[in-house]
Coordinates of all heavy atoms in Angstrom, one line a residue:
M215 N 225.4 95.2 209.4 CA 224.7 96.4 209.1 C 225.7 97.5 208.7 O 226.7 97.7 209.3 CB 223.9 96.8 210.3 CG 222.9 97.9 210.0 SD 221.9 98.3 211.5 CE 223.0 99.4 212.3
A216 N 225.3 98.2 207.6 CA 226.2 99.3 207.2 C 226.2 100.5 208.2 O 225.1 100.9 208.6 CB 225.7 99.8 205.8
V217 N 227.3 100.9 208.6 CA 227.4 102.0 209.6 C 228.3 103.1 209.0 O 229.3 102.8 208.4 CB 228.1 101.4 210.9 CG1 228.4 102.5 211.9 CG2 227.2 100.3 211.5
P218 N 227.9 104.3 209.2 CA 228.7 105.5 208.8 C 230.1 105.4 209.4 O 230.2 105.2 210.6 CB 227.9 106.7 209.2 CG 226.5 106.2 209.4 CD 226.6 104.8 209.9
K219 N 231.1 105.7 208.6 CA 232.5 105.6 209.1 C 232.8 106.8 210.0 O 233.6 106.7 210.9 CB 233.4 105.6 207.9 CG 234.9 105.3 208.3 CD 235.7 104.9 207.0 CE 237.0 104.4 207.4 NZ 237.8 103.9 206.2
K220 N 232.3 108.0 209.6 CA 232.6 109.2 210.3 C 231.3 109.8 210.9 O 230.3 109.8 210.2 CB 233.3 110.2 209.4 CG 234.7 109.8 209.1 CD 235.7 110.3 210.2 CE 237.1 110.3 209.7 NZ 237.8 109.0 209.8
K221 N 231.4 110.4 212.0 CA 230.3 111.2 212.5 C 230.0 112.4 211.6 O 230.9 113.1 211.2 CB 230.6 111.7 213.9 CG 229.6 112.6 214.6 CD 230.0 113.0 216.0 CE 228.9 113.9 216.6 NZ 229.2 114.2 218.0
T222 N 228.7 112.6 211.4 CA 228.4 113.8 210.6 C 228.5 115.1 211.5 O 227.8 115.1 212.6 CB 226.9 113.7 210.1 OG1 226.8 112.5 209.3 CG2 226.6 114.9 209.2
S223 N 229.3 116.0 211.1 CA 229.5 117.2 212.0 C 228.2 118.1 211.9 O 227.4 118.0 211.0 CB 230.7 118.0 211.5 OG 230.4 118.6 210.2
K224 N 228.1 118.9 212.9 CA 226.9 119.8 213.0 C 226.9 120.7 211.7 O 225.8 121.0 211.2 CB 227.0 120.7 214.2 CG 226.8 120.0 215.5 CD 227.2 121.0 216.7 CE 227.2 120.2 218.0 NZ 227.7 121.0 219.1
S225 N 228.1 121.1 211.2 CA 228.1 121.9 210.0 C 227.6 121.1 208.8 O 226.8 121.6 208.1 CB 229.6 122.3 209.8 OG 229.7 123.0 208.6
R226 N 228.1 119.9 208.6 CA 227.6 119.1 207.5 C 226.1 118.8 207.6 O 225.4 118.9 206.6 CB 228.3 117.8 207.4 CG 229.7 117.9 206.8 CD 229.9 116.8 205.7 NE 230.9 117.2 204.8 CZ 230.7 117.8 203.7 NH1 229.5 118.0 203.2 NH2 231.7 118.1 202.9
R227 N 225.7 118.5 208.8 CA 224.2 118.2 209.0 C 223.4 119.4 208.6 O 222.4 119.3 207.9 CB 224.0 117.8 210.5 CG 222.6 117.5 210.8 CD 222.3 117.7 212.3 NE 222.6 119.1 212.7 CZ 222.8 119.5 214.0 NH1 222.8 118.6 214.9 NH2 223.0 120.7 214.3
D228 N 223.8 120.6 209.1 CA 223.0 121.8 208.9 C 223.1 122.2 207.4 O 222.2 122.8 206.9 CB 223.5 122.9 209.8 CG 223.2 122.6 211.3 OD1 222.4 121.7 211.5 OD2 223.7 123.3 212.1
M229 N 224.3 122.0 206.8 CA 224.4 122.3 205.4 C 223.4 121.4 204.6 O 222.8 121.9 203.6 CB 225.8 122.1 204.9 CG 226.8 123.2 205.2 SD 228.3 123.1 204.2 CE 229.1 121.7 205.0
R230 N 223.3 120.1 205.0 CA 222.4 119.2 204.3 C 220.9 119.8 204.4 O 220.1 119.6 203.5 CB 222.5 117.8 204.9 CG 221.6 116.8 204.2 CD 221.8 115.4 204.7 NE 221.5 115.3 206.1 CZ 222.3 114.9 207.1 NH1 223.6 114.6 206.8 NH2 221.9 114.7 208.3
R231 N 220.6 120.3 205.6 CA 219.3 120.8 205.8 C 219.0 122.2 205.3 O 217.9 122.7 205.5 CB 219.0 120.7 207.3 CG 219.0 119.3 207.9 CD 218.8 119.3 209.3 NE 218.9 117.9 209.9 CZ 218.9 117.6 211.2 NH1 218.8 118.6 212.1 NH2 219.0 116.4 211.5
A232 N 220.0 122.8 204.7 CA 219.8 124.1 204.2 C 218.6 124.2 203.2 O 218.0 125.3 203.1 CB 221.1 124.6 203.5
H233 N 218.3 123.1 202.5 CA 217.2 123.2 201.5 C 216.0 122.6 202.0 O 215.0 122.4 201.3 CB 217.7 122.4 200.2 CG 218.9 122.9 199.6 ND1 218.9 124.0 198.8 CD2 220.2 122.5 199.7 CE1 220.2 124.3 198.4 NE2 221.0 123.4 199.0
A234 N 215.9 122.3 203.3 CA 214.8 121.5 203.9 C 213.7 122.4 204.5 O 212.8 121.9 205.0 CB 215.3 120.6 205.0
A235 N 213.9 123.7 204.3 CA 212.9 124.6 204.9 C 211.6 124.5 204.2 O 211.5 124.3 203.0 CB 213.4 126.1 204.9
L236 N 210.5 124.6 205.0 CA 209.2 124.6 204.4 C 208.8 126.0 203.9 O 209.1 127.0 204.6 CB 208.1 124.2 205.5 CG 208.2 122.7 206.0 CD1 207.3 122.6 207.1 CD2 208.0 121.8 204.9
V237 N 208.2 126.1 202.8 CA 207.7 127.4 202.3 C 206.2 127.4 202.4 O 205.5 126.4 202.2 CB 208.1 127.6 200.8 CG1 209.6 127.8 200.7 CG2 207.7 126.4 200.0
P238 N 205.6 128.5 202.8 CA 204.2 128.7 202.9 C 203.5 128.5 201.5 O 204.0 129.0 200.5 CB 204.0 130.1 203.5 CG 205.2 130.8 203.1 CD 206.3 129.8 203.1
V239 N 202.4 127.8 201.5 CA 201.7 127.6 200.3 C 200.4 128.5 200.3 O 199.6 128.4 201.2 CB 201.3 126.1 200.0 CG1 202.5 125.4 199.5 CG2 200.7 125.5 201.3
F240 N 200.2 129.3 199.3 CA 199.0 130.0 199.1 C 198.4 129.6 197.8 O 199.0 129.8 196.7 CB 199.3 131.5 199.1 CG 199.7 132.0 200.5 CD1 201.0 132.4 200.7 CD2 198.8 132.0 201.5 CE1 201.3 132.9 202.0 CE2 199.1 132.5 202.8 CZ 200.4 132.9 203.0
G241 N 197.2 129.1 197.8 CA 196.6 128.6 196.6 C 196.2 129.7 195.7 O 196.2 129.6 194.5
G242 N 195.9 130.8 196.3 CA 195.4 131.9 195.5 C 194.9 133.0 196.3 O 195.2 133.1 197.5
E243 N 194.0 133.9 195.8 CA 193.5 135.0 196.5 C 192.0 134.9 196.5 O 191.4 134.4 195.6 CB 194.0 136.3 196.0 CG 193.9 136.5 194.5 CD 194.7 137.6 194.0 OE1 195.8 137.8 194.5 OE2 194.2 138.3 193.1
C244 N 191.4 135.5 197.5 CA 189.9 135.5 197.7 C 189.4 136.4 196.5 O 189.9 137.4 196.2 CB 189.6 136.1 199.0 SG 187.8 136.3 199.2
Q245 N 188.3 135.8 195.9 CA 187.8 136.6 194.8 C 186.9 137.7 195.3 O 186.5 138.6 194.5 CB 186.9 135.6 193.9 CG 187.8 134.6 193.3 CD 187.0 133.7 192.3 OE1 185.9 133.3 192.6 NE2 187.5 133.6 191.1
T246 N 186.6 137.7 196.6 CA 185.7 138.8 197.1 C 186.6 140.0 197.6 O 186.3 141.1 197.3 CB 184.8 138.3 198.2 OG1 184.2 137.1 197.7 CG2 183.8 139.3 198.6
C247 N 187.5 139.6 198.5 CA 188.3 140.7 199.1 C 189.8 140.8 198.6 O 190.5 141.7 198.9 CB 188.3 140.6 200.6 SG 189.2 139.2 201.2
G248 N 190.2 139.8 197.8 CA 191.5 139.8 197.3 C 192.6 139.4 198.2 O 193.8 139.4 197.8
E249 N 192.3 139.0 199.4 CA 193.3 138.5 200.4 C 193.8 137.1 200.0 O 193.0 136.3 199.4 CB 192.7 138.5 201.8 CG 193.7 138.6 202.9 CD 194.4 139.9 202.9 OE1 193.8 141.0 202.7 OE2 195.6 139.9 203.2
K250 N 195.0 136.8 200.4 CA 195.5 135.5 200.1 C 194.8 134.5 201.0 O 194.6 134.7 202.2 CB 197.0 135.5 200.4 CG 197.9 136.1 199.2 CD 199.3 135.7 199.4 CE 200.0 136.7 200.4 NZ 201.4 136.5 200.4
K251 N 194.5 133.4 200.4 CA 193.8 132.4 201.2 C 194.2 131.0 200.7 O 194.7 130.8 199.6 CB 192.3 132.5 201.1 CG 191.7 132.1 199.8 CD 190.1 132.1 199.9 CE 189.5 131.4 198.7 NZ 189.8 129.9 198.7
R252 N 193.9 130.0 201.5 CA 194.2 128.6 201.2 C 193.2 128.1 200.2 O 192.0 128.4 200.3 CB 194.3 127.7 202.4 CG 195.4 128.1 203.4 CD 195.0 127.6 204.8 NE 195.2 126.2 204.9 CZ 194.7 125.5 205.9 NH1 194.0 126.0 206.8 NH2 194.9 124.2 205.9
P253 N 193.6 127.2 199.3 CA 192.7 126.6 198.3 C 191.6 125.8 199.0 O 191.9 125.0 199.9 CB 193.6 125.8 197.4 CG 194.8 125.5 198.1 CD 195.0 126.7 199.1
H254 N 190.4 125.9 198.5 CA 189.3 125.1 199.0 C 189.0 125.4 200.4 O 188.5 124.5 201.2 CB 189.5 123.6 198.8 CG 189.8 123.2 197.3 ND1 191.0 122.8 196.9 CD2 189.0 123.3 196.2 CE1 191.0 122.6 195.6 NE2 189.8 122.9 195.1
H255 N 189.3 126.6 200.9 CA 189.0 127.0 202.3 C 188.2 128.3 202.2 O 188.4 129.1 201.3 CB 190.2 127.1 203.1 CG 190.8 125.9 203.5 ND1 190.8 125.4 204.8 CD2 191.5 124.9 202.8 CE1 191.4 124.2 204.9 NE2 191.9 123.9 203.7
V256 N 187.3 128.5 203.2 CA 186.6 129.7 203.3 C 187.6 130.8 203.7 O 188.5 130.6 204.4 CB 185.6 129.6 204.4 CG1 184.9 131.0 204.7 CG2 184.5 128.6 204.0
C257 N 187.4 132.0 203.0 CA 188.3 133.1 203.3 C 188.2 133.5 204.8 O 187.1 133.8 205.2 CB 188.0 134.3 202.4 SG 189.0 135.7 202.7
P258 N 189.3 133.5 205.5 CA 189.2 133.9 206.9 C 189.0 135.4 207.2 O 188.7 135.8 208.3 CB 190.6 133.4 207.5 CG 191.5 133.5 206.3 CD 190.7 133.2 205.1
V259 N 189.2 136.2 206.1 CA 189.1 137.6 206.3 C 187.7 138.1 206.1 O 187.1 138.8 206.9 CB 190.0 138.3 205.3 CG1 189.9 139.8 205.4 CG2 191.5 137.9 205.4
C260 N 187.0 137.6 205.0 CA 185.7 138.1 204.8 C 184.6 137.0 204.9 O 183.4 137.3 204.8 CB 185.6 138.8 203.4 SG 185.8 137.6 202.0
G261 N 185.0 135.8 205.1 CA 184.0 134.7 205.3 C 183.3 134.3 204.0 O 182.2 133.8 204.1
H262 N 183.9 134.6 202.9 CA 183.2 134.2 201.6 C 183.8 133.0 201.1 O 185.0 132.6 201.3 CB 183.4 135.3 200.6 CG 182.4 136.4 200.8 ND1 182.2 137.1 201.9 CD2 181.4 136.9 199.9 CE1 181.3 138.0 201.8 NE2 180.8 137.9 200.6
Y263 N 183.0 132.2 200.3 CA 183.6 131.1 199.5 C 182.9 131.1 198.2 O 181.6 131.2 198.1 CB 183.3 129.8 200.3 CG 184.1 128.6 199.6 CD1 185.4 128.4 199.9 CD2 183.4 127.8 198.7 CE1 186.1 127.4 199.2 CE2 184.1 126.8 198.0 CZ 185.4 126.6 198.3 OH 186.1 125.6 197.7
N264 N 183.6 131.1 197.1 CA 183.1 131.1 195.8 C 182.2 132.3 195.6 O 181.0 132.2 195.1 CB 182.3 129.8 195.5 CG 182.3 129.4 194.0 OD1 183.0 130.1 193.2 ND2 181.7 128.4 193.7
K265 N 182.6 133.5 196.1 CA 181.9 134.8 196.0 C 180.6 134.8 196.7 O 179.7 135.5 196.4 CB 181.7 135.1 194.5 CG 182.9 135.5 193.7 CD 182.6 135.9 192.3 CE 183.8 136.2 191.6 NZ 183.6 136.5 190.2
R266 N 180.5 133.8 197.7 CA 179.2 133.7 198.4 C 179.5 133.8 199.9 O 180.5 133.2 200.4 CB 178.6 132.3 198.1 CG 177.1 132.2 198.2 CD 176.7 131.0 197.4 NE 177.5 129.8 197.8 CZ 177.2 129.1 198.9 NH1 176.2 129.3 199.7 NH2 177.9 128.0 199.1
P267 N 178.8 134.6 200.7 CA 179.0 134.7 202.1 C 178.5 133.4 202.8 O 177.4 133.0 202.7 CB 178.2 135.9 202.6 CG 177.1 136.0 201.5 CD 177.7 135.5 200.2
V268 N 179.5 132.7 203.5 CA 179.1 131.5 204.1 C 179.3 131.5 205.6 O 178.9 130.7 206.3 CB 179.9 130.3 203.6 CG1 179.5 129.9 202.1 CG2 181.4 130.6 203.6
L269 N 179.9 132.6 206.1 CA 180.1 132.8 207.5 C 179.4 134.1 207.9 O 179.4 135.1 207.2 CB 181.6 132.9 207.9 CG 182.4 131.6 207.7 CD1 183.9 131.9 208.1 CD2 181.9 130.5 208.5
K270 N 178.8 134.0 209.1 CA 178.2 135.2 209.6 C 179.3 136.1 210.2 O 180.0 135.7 211.2 CB 177.1 134.9 210.7 CG 175.9 134.3 210.1 CD 174.7 134.4 211.1 CE 173.4 134.0 210.3 NZ 172.7 133.0 211.0
D271 N 179.5 137.2 209.6 CA 180.6 138.1 210.0 C 180.1 139.5 210.0 O 179.6 140.0 209.0 CB 181.8 137.9 209.1 CG 183.0 138.4 209.7 OD1 182.9 139.3 210.5 OD2 184.1 138.0 209.3
S272 N 180.3 140.2 211.2 CA 179.8 141.5 211.3 C 180.7 142.5 210.5 O 180.3 143.6 210.2 CB 179.7 141.9 212.7 OG 181.0 141.8 213.3
R273 N 181.9 142.0 210.1 CA 182.8 142.9 209.4 C 182.4 143.1 208.0 O 182.8 144.0 207.3 CB 184.2 142.4 209.5 CG 184.9 142.5 210.8 CD 186.2 141.7 210.8 NE 186.0 140.3 210.7 CZ 186.9 139.4 210.7 NH1 188.2 139.8 210.8 NH2 186.7 138.1 210.6
V274 N 181.6 142.2 207.5 CA 181.1 142.3 206.1 C 179.9 143.2 206.0 O 178.9 142.9 206.7 CB 180.8 140.9 205.5 CG1 180.4 141.0 204.1 CG2 182.0 140.0 205.6
S275 N 179.9 144.2 205.3 CA 178.8 145.1 205.1 C 178.1 144.8 203.8 O 178.7 144.8 202.7 CB 179.2 146.6 205.2 OG 180.2 146.8 204.2
E276 N 176.8 144.5 203.8 CA 176.1 144.2 202.6 C 174.8 145.0 202.5 O 174.4 145.6 203.4 CB 175.7 142.7 202.6 CG 177.0 141.8 202.5 CD 176.6 140.4 202.3 OE1 175.8 140.1 201.4 OE2 177.1 139.5 203.1
Ligands
ZN71 ZN1 187.9 137.3 201.4

C-alpha cells in the first residue's frame, strides 16, 4: 500500500484547506418583499411563494 513519506504538517494541511470553505448560496430574492431567499422555498420573511401568500402570518398586512 502506498504510504506518505512525510507527515503533513498542520501548516500544509491548513493551507490545503484554505479553499475548502463553504460559501452561502442564495438563489435569488423574494419577489414580494425583496429579501434574499433560497430557491424553491417559501420566503421565511413574508411567507409568500410565487407572489402568493402561502403561510398564515400576522406580519403580512393585506
Ligand atoms: Zn418575502
Side-chain angles (χ1 to χ4, degrees):
M215 192 176 85
V217 172
K219 191 166 190 176
K220 287 273 197 275
K221 173 178 178 173
T222 305
S223 68
K224 291 171 189 170
S225 173
R226 279 227 158 265
R227 178 202 62 197
D228 292 346
M229 279 195 289
R230 180 174 66 238
R231 294 178 183 171
H233 302 280
L236 294 173
V237 289
V239 282
F240 290 110
E243 50 196 36
C244 176
Q245 295 187 312
T246 309
C247 71
E249 201 67 38
K250 280 193 279 187
K251 74 170 196 63
R252 294 157 74 196
H254 306 110
H255 283 255
V256 172
C257 175
V259 180
C260 67
H262 277 58
Y263 189 83
N264 210 4
K265 293 184 180 174
R266 211 160 46 84
V268 289
L269 294 179
K270 286 198 170 129
D271 197 334
S272 56
R273 287 172 291 179
V274 181
S275 56
E276 294 186 53

